[in-house]
Every structure is written in structure tokens, then in C-alpha cells.
């Protein structure tokens, strides 16, 4: 038997199922399952899927599967090609100190949960899906390592700031696949905005460190500004992209996302004077591609229309927008 799939079952402590199939097992798929805490990780796997797994301890109590157990599975299977992990896990007090496991053959990775992002490192992954709902603090930089290596090989990306609490990054074609959705759940609006901003900055910092991000990029600034608030996440992101990437080997500065070519916004959009200054500053820099489209999207009764405004932006000389 080289493929074992078990779902919605309870495995007793004295069961030797994994021992019986271990020598030839290549694919292990466990979902909605309770396993004993004395189960040793299966060796020699090429595919591993662990979704909504619970663990029964010696005293009979049932708990979420510890992060440390997932780490043991990864350590025991360094030749994985496909990996899928869910968020139904219990973090150990020191889970952040676990050393990332190198998975040099990993081709596809799906991870649901911020606690899982930094458990493994795969430099040749060609398909990666991260979904994290409920972030209350910025993940460590090590969490983005696998994502960054894949981003650098994507041909086209769409980066979206949604409402004031979500960041989405998706490929728009090419041999590598990226689908990332990160949702902040901090109590205060300001904390959610800061969290989304910090995650985008950290991902770009890692992706553009010592190398330019070659993908053509569409930027969707769909954050909603709260009434009475002076903070505008869309504008903060635009300012972030105006800040050159600096690194020390060799000493020089480069523009972020040099192949950004399209900006989408929700009505009323950003002030035209800010957009014009942004485009003009980039146009004076070598190795930076032109902005070829800026549009404002209006939604009425679930239908939307899109109006191109690049020409208006470049000819505008006043404050704000002219409608």
C-alpha cells in the first residue's frame, strides 16, 4: 500500500496501522481525525495532507494537534513533493523557535494558518497557497521565505488591499502559481490597517532583497476609509512603493515593484495629485517600467463599471480629483 487516506475516524492508542503500511507508504491523507499522541511520524512520504487533526493523550483527553507534531512529520519526510496543512492546531509556547525544515523537492504547498508558515522552507516550490484568517500580529520574516522564492518566478501578479483588513496576492499567469489571502482581526481599525501594511512591507522587503521582482504587477487599492479617520491605507501603500528598496551588497537603491503597470481603485479613488507625483517620480528612474493604466471602479447594485483615468491624472494640476 503506497496511499493511505483516512477521514472522520478515531484511531485507538494500541492501533499499529501506520507501522503496518510504513515501508511502502508514499501518500498520507488524514482529515477530521483523532490520533494517539504516541504515533511516530511516517517516513518516506512524497505527499502529506493533515487537515483538522486532533490528538488523544494518555489520560484520554483530546486536544488540537500540536505544532511540534507537524514539525516532526516534516523532519521525518524531507523529500515531500506536496504538502497540505490546516490551521486546526495547537501552538506550543515556543513554536516560533522551531527551526524551519528544508524541503528541497517540494512542488506544491497549501497552508491554512499563520502558525504554519515558518515551519518549512522550499526554494523550488512552483505552487503555493496560504490562507490566514484571524491574524492579530505580524508573522516573523521567516514565514515568507517559501512564498518569496515562488513570487520571484511568477510572470504576473495582482496585489490587492481589500477593505482595511485584508491582503491578497495572486498570480495572473505563468508556470508558477501563487494564491495568498491574509486577513487581520485586530480589535481596532488602526491596528488592522497597520497589520496589513506591515505584512505587505515585509513580503516585499524579502522578495526584493538583493534582486528585482521581475513580475508585471497590477495593484488594486480597495481599502475603505472610515468616516472621520485621518488614516488612508491606500495612500500609505502608495507611499510605501515610492520608498526605494535599499540593500548593502552592493550599496544602491532600487524602486519597489519596478514592473508595476496598472493601478485599480474604488470610487472616489486616491487624489490625482498624489497619483501624478507617484508616476512622475517613477518615470525619472532607470529600470522602472511605465504605468499604463489607472482606473476607478464604481459599484451599483452588485454591478460595477470601470473608468480609465490615467490621462486625467497626468494632466491634473489641482488638489484631489476633478470627478
Amino acid at each position: 500500500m503506497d496511499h493511505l487516506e483516512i477521514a472522520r475516524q478515531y484511531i485507538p492508542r494500541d492501533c499499529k496501522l501506520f507501522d503496518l503500511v510504513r515501508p511502502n507508504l508514499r501518500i498520507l491523507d488524514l482529515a477530521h481525525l483523532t490520533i494517539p499522541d504516541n504515533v511516530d511520524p511516517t517516513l518516506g512520504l512524497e505527499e502529506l495532507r493533515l487537515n483538522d487533526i486532533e490528538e488523544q493523550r494518555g489520560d484520554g483527553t483530546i486536544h488540537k494537534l500540536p505544532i511540534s507534531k507537524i514539525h516532526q512529520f516534516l523532519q521525518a519526510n524531507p523529500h515531500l513533493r506536496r504538502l497540505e496543512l490546516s490551521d486546526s492546531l495547537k501552538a506550543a509556547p515556543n513554536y516560533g523557535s522551531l527551526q524551519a525544515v528544508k524541503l528541497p523537492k517540494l512542488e506544491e504547498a497549501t497552508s491554512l494558518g499563520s502558525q504554519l508558515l515558518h515551519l518549512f522552507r522550499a526554494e523550488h516550490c512552483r505552487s503555493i497557497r496560504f490562507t490566514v484568517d484571524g491574524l492579530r500580529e505580524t508573522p516573523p520574516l521567516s514565514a515568507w521565505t517559501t512564498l518569496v522564492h515562488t513570487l520571484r518566478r511568477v510572470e504576473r501578479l495582482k496585489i490587492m488591499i481589500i477593505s482595511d483588513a485584508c491582503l491578497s496576492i495572486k498570480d495572473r499567469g505563468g508556470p508558477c502559481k501563487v494564491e495568498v489571502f491574509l486577513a487581520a482581526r485586530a480589535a481596532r481599525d488602526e491596528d488592522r490597517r497597520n497589520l496589513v501594511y506591515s505584512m505587505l512591507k515585509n513580503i516585499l522587503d524579502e522578495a526584493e532583497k538583493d534582486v528585482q521582482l521581475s513580475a508585471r504587477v497590477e495593484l488594486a487599492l480597495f481599502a475603505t476609509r472610515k468616516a472621520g479617520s485621518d488614516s488612508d491605507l491606500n495612500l500609505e501603500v502608495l507611499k510605501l512603493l515610492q520608498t526605494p528598496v535599499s540593500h548593502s551588497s552592493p550599496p544602491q537603491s532600487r524602486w519597489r515593484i519596478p514592473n508595476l503597470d496598472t493601478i485599480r481603485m474604488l470610487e472616489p479613488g486616491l487624489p490625482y495629485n498624489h497619483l501624478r507625483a507617484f508616476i512622475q517620480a517613477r518615470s525619472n528612474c532607470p529600470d522602472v517600467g511605465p504605468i499604463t493604466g489607472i482606473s476607478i471602479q464604481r459599484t451599483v447594485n452588485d454591478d460595477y463599471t470601470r473608468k480609465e483615468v490615467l490621462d486625467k491624472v497626468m494632466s491634473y494640476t489641482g488638489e484631489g480629483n476633478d470627478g
Side-chain angles (χ1 to χ4, degrees), residues 93-151:
N94 63 340
Y95 81 92
S97 64
L98 294 173
Q99 187 72 27
V101 178
K102 292 184 179 181
L103 302 176
K105 295 184 178 181
L106 193 68
E107 299 173 359
E108 299 178 13
T110 300
S111 178
L112 309 178
S114 60
Q115 300 169 358
L116 304 173
L117 298 180
H118 70 288
L119 286 184
F120 60 93
R121 182 172 299 173
E123 296 186 2
H124 304 292
C125 195
R126 57 180 176 80
S127 176
I128 189 164
R129 295 177 60 238
F130 283 166
T131 301
V132 184
D133 190 359
L135 278 167
R136 287 176 169 79
E137 60 182 16
T138 305
L141 290 177
S142 59
W144 312 121
T145 301
T146 298
L147 170 62
V148 161
H149 284 290
T150 308
L151 282 178

Side-chain angles (χ1 to χ4, degrees), residues 2-3 9 14 17 68 81 97 105 142 156 231 238 255 262 269 310 314:
D2 64 355
H3 185 171
Q9 298 291 329
D14 58 352
L17 177 62
S68 56
R81 296 185 181 277
S97 64
K105 295 184 178 181
S142 59
R156 183 161 182 81
S231 177
L238 199 69
W255 276 84
T262 307
L310 178 59
M314 297 311 297

Side-chain angles (χ1 to χ4, degrees), residues 217 219 221 234-244 255-263 270-285 288-294 310 313-314:
V217 176
L219 177 66
L221 299 174
N234 294 327
L235 186 56
E236 292 302 314
V237 170
L238 199 69
K239 290 179 179 179
L240 170 65
L241 300 186
Q242 286 181 264
T243 306
W255 276 84
R256 296 180 186 271
I257 315 183
N259 294 314
L260 172 66
D261 58 20
T262 307
I263 299 175
L270 287 170
Y272 285 178
N273 56 323
H274 289 293
L275 291 167
R276 186 169 181 267
F278 176 76
I279 294 173
Q280 288 179 330
R282 290 175 65 93
S283 66
N284 295 327
C285 298
V288 173
I291 302 292
T292 58
I294 298 180
L310 178 59
V313 167
M314 297 311 297

Side-chain angles (χ1 to χ4, degrees), residues 5 62-63 71-72 93 98 100 125 139 141-142 149 156 164 171 179 183 192 230 237 248 254 294 300 311:
E5 181 176 347
I62 296 177
H63 305 265
H71 192 255
Q72 291 174 17
L98 294 173
C125 195
L141 290 177
S142 59
H149 284 290
R156 183 161 182 81
D164 65 343
D171 72 279
E179 185 175 343
R192 290 196 298 270
D230 294 330
V237 170
S248 58
R254 293 177 283 104
I294 298 180
V300 179
D311 290 342

